[in-house]
Amino acid sequence: MSRDHVQSAERTAPAAGAPGRAHPGTRPGSGSAETPFLELLARGASAEAYEQPVLLARAEGLPTGRVADLEQAKLLALRVRSELEGRRRREAELSALFETAHDLAGLRDLDAVLQAIVQRARSLLGTDVAYLSLNDPARGDTYMRVTEGSVAARFQQLRLGMGEGLGGLVAQTARPYVTDDYFRDDRFQHTHTIDTGVRDEGLVAILGVPLMLGHHVIGVLFAADRRARVFEREQIALLGSFAALAAAAIDTANLLAETRSALAGLERANEIIQDRSAVIERASDVHDRLAELVLRGGGVHDVAAAVSQVLDGTVEFTEATAAPAQALESSRAEGHAVRHRDDWIAAVAAGDELLGALVLRGHPGLDPVDQRTLERAAMVTSLLLLARRSAAEAEQRVRGELLDDLLDARDRDPRLLRERAARLHADLDAVHVVLAARLEGGTVDADQEADARRRLWAAASHLAATRRGLAAARDGGTVLLLPLTPGDTATDLARRTARHLGTAVHEPVTVGASAPVEHLTARPDSVAAAYAEARRCLDALRLLGRSGDGSAAEDFGFLGLLLAGERDIAGFVDRTIGQVVAYDERRGTELLRTLDAYFSCGMSPARTKDELHVHVNTVAQRLERVGRLLGDDWQSPARALEIQLALRLHRLAAGTRPPAQP
């Protein structure tokens, strides 16, 4: 089944469906091989159901070729099913994050906040159980506060001493821990009470991340399954960011509780209460503004603008490399905004990854609540950046898949290709150029080389998205399909692309370009042939010592005839001697005949004048005119070789004979 059929099935398949077997009215021997699997996709059947059409075909003794077609169709259908499930999972994760931000914007009761956090954590990771424990400073241990999905009463009442069990170890070390088999893991201290509670609940795989306020651990957020499971790094990072949001929510609830208590106990200090109330109102205002920004899809600069208004100062988002390194690292480690001269720095981080910083300019005196406002804005900024990164990576993968189809597929449906391209704001009916790009800063370290290739692919994908083109990783480098603007040439586009990518990855990037390509969807092999031509140009650049440059076949003179996929002979002749041909046609002169005779006579003016039966001064004047038309270097060995080749090709095209040899 082709990828276009896959996409068609993907658009028509329902969001969910009950698993079942193949439709009784559909037999594998009738219709196309894809039909039974499309019906299974449309109903959302289980993975096991996809084996039945193949088994039935074998049982009926259908030809081996038919069974093989069904096997291939089954594999492609399962890939579509897996892709659909992956998209639903990503949508659910993003939905859980934004729903959490929405809930936290409206919740003020601590118990309701904690319950919402645990519910979202379970939904986010798709685990059987999620729970949250808080530290008890008075008793020196940590206890279960909220659980979701738990069925065992003893488990819900557990108390863990510092260092006991996985949760106690997380609370003691302030580091996330994960185990795919709790009872076989000896990294932490097992106790009879804890192991009994975990066994009653039936838990096997457990992930725990600390809830941090500054460098203090206030509790642990857990996600657990009743079966063996490996938690991926991205899941650990997401739960870590979620735990940071949870800690801030707990801190906010505690602050509000402390404020209410202070208001009740300090009735005589009315002026102080009023000042405090104004600060809290300002914090609540920015909280609501940030929540609104998240819900309507605002960006990081929108967050900075909103906080600038609330704090009555200038707040800017900067890249991690542009912020003061020591202050940024201190803010990340402590989880608080730190003062740097007259500015305040709040790290924007996701787990251990620094994404940037929010900088409050020229505001040395900052109220503690305003400081926390800046910190919460940094946390919201990190969530927005993670969400945007996930969306950008998904779009890059889709662009790469479409380009792979154009390069590899042979039975594509032009209409479906245009629809897929339109969703990416690309126009396959426009004139395009295929470019092959490769890094030139080689390294012996495999990890560094893989990282450099990823950076090249990311830079190429960004360029393709901004130019309404496509990009994909291929053959150890990157291939791009970019539209060619009127008045531009393939060589110019290749050179600009080489400079742009080289600047983005901080390493030389060599780019070979094809000749312009039209009718991409109508000619099945045009993109693949253009890519082969671009790779030949890339190899030629490297062999000629022009690494880090960009070029197309038209830039290599007669060598370009060997590199070009369709042998543009007329274009070569026009670029080489076109001005001489045009001059003769306009003036009725014989420059072309003189030039031909000149080379036939071994570049001797005296022998040339005998061949043409003219005076030697006439030959000299004509050759001088040729020099003005072709340039002063036209008699250099390389140019002379190209001109002689162009003269012969012109004669072949015109059907004329060469001059007689002297």
Side-chain angles (χ1 to χ4, degrees), residues 618-632:
T618 302
V619 173
Q621 291 172 359
R622 291 178 181 179
L623 294 179
E624 182 182 359
R625 172 62 63 182
V626 169
R628 286 200 294 269
L629 293 173
L630 299 184
D632 294 336

Side-chain angles (χ1 to χ4, degrees), residues 198-232:
V198 174
R199 189 174 288 107
D200 287 350
E201 193 61 47
L203 301 182
V204 177
I206 304 175
L207 166 62
V209 296
L211 275 65
M212 304 287 296
L213 283 180
H215 57 275
H216 298 292
V217 180
I218 64 170
V220 180
L221 180 60
F222 299 88
D225 261 337
R226 296 188 175 94
R227 63 189 183 282
R229 169 179 176 173
V230 176
F231 289 96
E232 302 295 337

Side-chain angles (χ1 to χ4, degrees), residues 198-349:
V198 174
R199 189 174 288 107
D200 287 350
E201 193 61 47
L203 301 182
V204 177
I206 304 175
L207 166 62
V209 296
L211 275 65
M212 304 287 296
L213 283 180
H215 57 275
H216 298 292
V217 180
I218 64 170
V220 180
L221 180 60
F222 299 88
D225 261 337
R226 296 188 175 94
R227 63 189 183 282
R229 169 179 176 173
V230 176
F231 289 96
E232 302 295 337
R233 180 181 301 176
E234 292 80 5
Q235 294 174 318
I236 297 174
L238 280 172
L239 194 63
S241 298
F242 205 82
L245 183 61
I250 293 171
D251 187 38
T252 300
N254 289 336
L255 280 175
L256 291 173
E258 292 171 3
T259 302
R260 295 189 189 100
S261 176
L263 289 173
L266 299 175
E267 293 180 357
R268 289 174 296 177
N270 189 45
E271 293 182 0
I272 298 177
I273 292 175
Q274 289 179 351
D275 292 341
R276 186 69 175 176
S277 177
V279 173
I280 294 173
E281 182 179 353
R282 193 161 66 251
S284 178
D285 177 51
V286 73
H287 187 278
D288 293 340
R289 290 193 186 192
L290 294 179
E292 181 184 358
L293 282 174
V294 170
L295 292 175
R296 64 180 175 84
V300 294
H301 297 292
D302 296 325
V303 173
V307 179
S308 296
Q309 294 178 2
V310 173
L311 298 183
D312 193 22
T314 301
V315 178
E316 299 174 351
F317 172 78
T318 65
E319 300 293 337
T321 54
Q326 185 175 357
L328 183 61
E329 180 59 30
S330 176
S331 175
R332 186 197 65 80
E334 297 176 6
H336 288 297
V338 299
R339 182 176 172 181
H340 177 71
R341 299 176 183 171
D342 290 339
D343 302 335
W344 284 84
I345 311 294
V348 176

Side-chain angles (χ1 to χ4, degrees), residues 513-517 523 525-526 528-537 552-554 559-569:
S514 72
V517 184
R523 299 171 57 191
D525 299 326
S526 60
Y531 175 55
E533 179 182 336
R535 289 197 63 192
R536 289 194 295 270
C537 288
E554 64 185 16
L559 180 60
L561 295 178
L562 305 177
L563 299 175
E566 297 185 357
R567 305 292 189 267
D568 184 15
I569 294 176

Side-chain angles (χ1 to χ4, degrees), residues 477-496:
T478 301
V479 56
L480 299 95
L481 181 68
L482 298 181
L484 188 66
T485 57
D488 207 356
T489 67
T491 296
D492 293 337
L493 181 58
R495 288 173 178 167
R496 286 199 306 271

Side-chain angles (χ1 to χ4, degrees), residues 354-433:
L354 275 173
L355 305 176
L358 284 184
V359 181
L360 175 60
R361 303 288 187 187
H363 212 306
L366 194 63
D367 184 275
V369 176
D370 286 344
Q371 181 180 342
R372 291 189 182 276
T373 296
L374 184 63
E375 294 162 3
R376 289 181 179 83
M379 181 178 56
V380 172
T381 301
S382 68
L383 290 175
L384 289 175
L385 289 174
L386 286 176
R388 294 291 171 84
R389 177 191 292 178
S390 299
E393 290 175 351
E395 180 179 342
Q396 290 173 358
R397 286 193 295 272
V398 173
R399 288 182 183 274
E401 290 170 0
L402 177 55
L403 183 51
D404 283 336
D405 282 355
L406 290 170
L407 287 167
D408 298 332
R410 294 293 181 266
D411 53 346
R412 301 166 303 204
D413 185 333
R415 180 180 59 83
L416 294 179
L417 287 174
R418 289 191 185 95
E419 291 178 358
R420 291 170 60 189
R423 288 195 291 270
L424 298 170
H425 306 290
D427 180 11
L428 296 185
D429 292 324
V431 179
H432 285 73
V433 172

